[in-house]
Amino acid sequence: MKKFVAVIFSCIFLFAISVTDGFAGELSTSAQASVLICADNGKVLYSHNMNTRLKMASTTKLMTSLLTLESAKKDNRVVTFKENMIEKGSSMYLKVGEKLRLEDLCVGMLLPSGNDASTCSAVSLAGSKENFAKLMNSRAEKIGMKNTNFVTPSGLDDKNHYSTAYDMALLMKECLKNKKFCEISGSVSRTVSFVSPKDKAVTYQNHNRLLSSYEYCISGKTGYTQSAGRCLVTASRKNGVTLIAVTLNDRNDWEDHTSLYEYGFSKVHSQAFSKKTITQSVVGGEKDFVKLNIEGKSFITNSKKDKITLKILVDPFAYAPINKGDRAGLVLYCKNGRVIDKSTIYYDENIEYKTTQSGFWEFIKGLF
């Protein structure tokens, strides 16, 4: 009898673990590890084994392309594809002696997932894949990727090359700050015009099918090796909310990402305050009123019931002279009576002191 009771309690305990891990009671995926985060505030909305170290295949190219694009912004140099840059696996089909710019290598990395493009960039920028891996790991540390180690720029298998679902979400969050990355990775197709040969131009198709199948998808990177399985990192934006989904070793990644986003967008909401201009009375100035700027701001909430209000704190009048850019007041953003954020209000124009003598009633009028 005691043994029977112990078995029952063990089953209940295991069941409790299964439904709490990754909110499985509401959602589940086929992935060995997965995570869904809100890029706007970093909140984890769903997770399953999100800190388990696994191979991430070609989603590695998120880091390689980020470093390449940052270098290209300073110097979008022309690079030459050499024999020591040849790699097996997926390719943008570069030939020895061909020349193209760094930015175009990122098209080859992010759309057709070219291992040749990744190695070409790594060797061109750092002299070797090993030196480039040091740059990758240094940047990963700054991003906060605590369970990641990069060895190859392409994502080809290596026992010391690994990451986690959560770390890859942090990486995508960092990538989304780069406008050129968003532009390239969000393209269904893109044409690269080579520097040499001059007449060569190739149009590459994006392997990220979610860009076509899910209307809110804005970016992503696919990955696959036999040992890593199917890996996918994507980002989607809807109604002012940006979410990032990561699945590692997932045979149903397209469907799972769509399900993750539908779940996430039902849980997270955005409330936006647009930029506006108000006026303030001026005493002793060449104008009776001065313009003040209130910058736009948006907030992410976990419920439609969480309404945010703003309080504008500005004196009823100001004395001339007034300088554009000077502090004029404060805006308080409140939720449930509690201040959650604030921003400064600035004057939007110069108001010179009025040199001519005003009458008594004009002075009183200026006060109101």
Side-chain angles (χ1 to χ4, degrees):
M1 182 65 182
K2 290 182 178 180
K3 185 180 291 185
F4 175 77
V5 172
V7 171
I8 293 297
F9 273 102
S10 297
C11 291
I12 292 172
F13 179 71
L14 290 172
F15 177 75
I17 292 175
S18 68
V19 297
T20 54
D21 179 27
F23 310 99
E26 297 181 84
L27 181 69
S28 63
T29 71
S30 301
Q32 186 176 352
S34 55
V35 72
L36 176 71
I37 73 166
C38 177
D40 304 292
N41 59 15
K43 182 178 177 63
V44 176
L45 304 174
Y46 170 88
S47 70
H48 174 66
N49 295 333
M50 71 173 187
N51 291 316
T52 300
R53 294 178 176 182
L54 297 169
K55 295 176 181 178
M56 64 289 202
S58 283
T59 59
T60 296
K61 296 184 176 80
L62 290 172
M63 177 63 84
T64 306
S65 62
L66 177 62
L67 295 178
T68 302
L69 287 171
E70 289 175 344
S71 179
K73 187 176 182 179
K74 301 174 185 176
D75 176 21
N76 191 19
R77 74 184 80 167
V78 175
V79 297
T80 302
F81 187 70
K82 300 176 182 178
E83 194 166 349
N84 64 337
M85 300 172 179
I86 297 174
E87 290 283 11
K88 62 181 180 180
S90 56
S91 176
M92 71 178 294
Y93 302 104
L94 296 174
K95 296 179 181 178
V96 174
E98 291 184 332
K99 298 180 180 182
L100 69 169
R101 296 192 177 276
L102 282 176
E103 194 174 289
D104 291 323
L105 283 176
C106 291
V107 175
M109 292 182 221
L110 293 172
L111 274 67
S113 197
N115 294 337
D116 50 356
S118 299
T119 300
C120 180
S121 175
V123 175
S124 297
L125 292 177
S128 68
K129 290 188 288 186
E130 292 75 19
N131 287 339
F132 190 76
K134 294 178 182 178
L135 298 178
M136 298 171 80
N137 288 318
S138 175
R139 188 55 179 280
E141 185 177 356
K142 292 178 181 177
I143 294 172
M145 302 171 69
K146 298 179 180 179
N147 290 294
T148 297
N149 188 65
F150 291 107
V151 176
T152 70
S154 60
L156 288 172
D157 290 332
D158 185 287
K159 64 180 181 179
N160 292 316
H161 187 87
Y162 56 81
S163 187
T164 68
Y166 181 67
D167 278 6
M168 294 307 292
L170 293 180
L171 175 56
M172 174 57 94
K173 186 172 181 285
E174 186 72 12
C175 288
L176 292 177
K177 298 175 184 178
N178 189 298
K179 292 183 179 180
K180 184 58 68 172
F181 172 87
C182 295
E183 178 186 323
I184 295 174
S185 64
S187 301
V188 174
S189 65
R190 205 167 177 92
T191 300
V192 171
S193 296
F194 285 67
V195 175
S196 177
K198 291 184 179 180
D199 59 345
K200 183 175 181 179
V202 180
T203 299
Y204 296 97
Q205 303 299 317
N206 201 323
H207 287 182
N208 179 16
R209 286 168 36 194
L210 214 65
L211 287 170
S212 300
S213 64
Y214 187 66
E215 62 178 314
Y216 303 111
C217 184
I218 59 170
S219 179
K221 182 69 194 78
T222 59
Y224 174 79
T225 66
Q226 190 170 2
S227 60
R230 294 176 62 87
C231 301
L232 183 62
V233 181
T234 62
S236 294
R237 184 174 294 128
K238 180 180 179 182
N239 296 332
V241 176
T242 302
L243 302 181
I244 295 170
V246 180
T247 51
L248 301 179
N249 191 13
D250 184 3
R251 63 184 183 277
N252 295 316
D253 48 7
W254 307 118
E255 295 83 357
D256 284 340
H257 276 238
T258 300
S259 297
L260 284 166
Y261 286 131
E262 290 302 296
Y263 169 84
F265 286 127
S266 72
K267 297 294 182 182
V268 183
H269 309 277
S270 174
Q271 186 176 347
F273 295 92
S274 59
K275 180 178 179 179
K276 62 187 297 185
T277 300
I278 62 174
T279 59
Q280 182 184 33
S281 296
V282 178
V283 175
E286 292 183 336
K287 293 183 179 181
D288 294 330
F289 298 93
V290 61
K291 294 178 181 178
L292 286 67
N293 266 344
I294 299 178
E295 294 298 323
K297 214 171 187 65
S298 60
F299 296 89
I300 304 300
T301 62
N302 296 327
S303 172
K304 290 182 178 180
K305 296 179 181 179
D306 290 334
K307 293 296 181 183
I308 297 171
T309 58
L310 76 166
K311 294 180 180 179
I312 300 174
L313 305 179
V314 175
D315 291 334
F317 59 87
Y319 292 98
I322 295 171
N323 297 315
K324 182 178 180 179
D326 282 355
R327 184 182 183 278
L330 200 64
V331 178
L332 302 181
Y333 298 91
C334 305
K335 184 172 72 174
N336 301 326
R338 182 174 62 89
V339 176
I340 60 171
D341 200 1
K342 59 185 178 180
S343 60
T344 304
I345 303 174
Y346 298 97
Y347 289 111
D348 195 39
E349 59 182 330
N350 296 315
I351 303 292
E352 297 297 330
Y353 181 76
K354 189 174 183 179
T355 56
T356 58
Q357 186 69 31
S358 296
F360 175 76
W361 292 112
E362 283 74 19
F363 174 77
I364 295 299
K365 180 183 177 182
L367 293 177
F368 294 95

